[in-house]
Amino acid sequence: LGDIVRAFAITDPNERQKIVIVYLIGFGSAQLVCGPLSDRFGRRPVLLGGLALYAAAGLFSVVAASMDQMLLARLLQGIGCAAPRVVAVSAVRDCYSGARMGRVMSLVMMVFMSVPIIAPSIGQVILLVAPWRAIFLMLTFGGFAMLGWCALRLRETLPVEERRPL
């Protein structure tokens, strides 16, 4: 965050926290929208749309020329990231029941809980060999990789007859 503040010539060091805060605002608030959208239109389109937004916003953060552009990119990334979070849980519910659903859901939650623990270490390793924008480039590549994998491999888990109106 210090490198970003210096790159954008931000005088107030407290401004750097906004990069995390706006991401979390987008991530948290968009979950309220992604759930009903995935119940109405299906899991796959919401997931693919969210991943596309996440990856595009990641690219926008790589080329951001000002702190305002970076904050907008991070807000959009948070919104895009909400879709995989919501759809993963919904898809597990669609595909499994009983004890099997509990085991799969535990695995999903373990992954969601471990990523924020591991991510700062990965970011630090990237900073050892590359400038700060490389972190966002890595997030962009990850987003596009997940988008491609899900587009090719993930089927729709919510049958049309089980979809709900908004």
Side-chain angles (χ1 to χ4, degrees):
L1 293 177
D3 291 345
I4 295 171
V5 168
R6 284 186 289 283
F8 293 135
I10 305 297
T11 55
D12 182 2
N14 289 326
E15 289 291 306
R16 64 185 178 185
Q17 283 92 338
K18 288 182 180 177
I19 292 172
V20 176
I21 292 168
V22 297
Y23 175 86
L24 292 174
I25 288 170
F27 178 69
S29 59
Q31 289 182 50
L32 299 171
V33 177
C34 290
L37 287 176
S38 73
D39 287 343
R40 169 64 183 97
F41 298 107
R43 312 301 187 213
R44 194 169 190 276
V46 173
L47 175 66
L48 296 178
L51 288 171
L53 178 60
Y54 178 86
L59 190 57
F60 183 32
S61 66
V62 170
V63 299
S66 69
M67 185 64 160
D68 288 339
Q69 288 179 0
M70 176 60 79
L71 293 177
L72 177 59
R74 293 297 286 161
L75 178 69
L76 294 173
Q77 257 190 324
I79 292 168
C81 193
R85 171 68 174 88
V86 170
V87 169
V89 173
S90 300
V92 169
R93 190 185 66 223
D94 294 342
C95 296
Y96 301 100
S97 62
R100 178 77 174 136
M101 182 178 74
R103 286 191 297 275
V104 173
M105 195 68 75
S106 293
L107 177 63
V108 168
M109 289 300 128
M110 183 181 71
V111 170
F112 281 130
M113 290 171 44
S114 63
V115 168
I117 295 168
I118 297 168
S121 298
I122 295 170
Q124 189 60 49
V125 169
I126 293 170
L127 284 177
L128 291 173
V129 297
W132 66 267
R133 290 184 190 269
I135 292 173
F136 296 102
L137 190 60
M138 182 70 116
L139 294 174
T140 302
F141 286 140
F144 280 122
M146 287 304 299
L147 175 61
W149 185 85
C150 290
L152 293 173
R153 305 273 310 181
L154 197 65
R155 64 178 176 80
E156 176 60 57
T157 62
L158 184 65
V160 174
E161 60 274 4
E162 292 183 28
R163 296 184 186 175
R164 301 179 201 173
L166 293 173

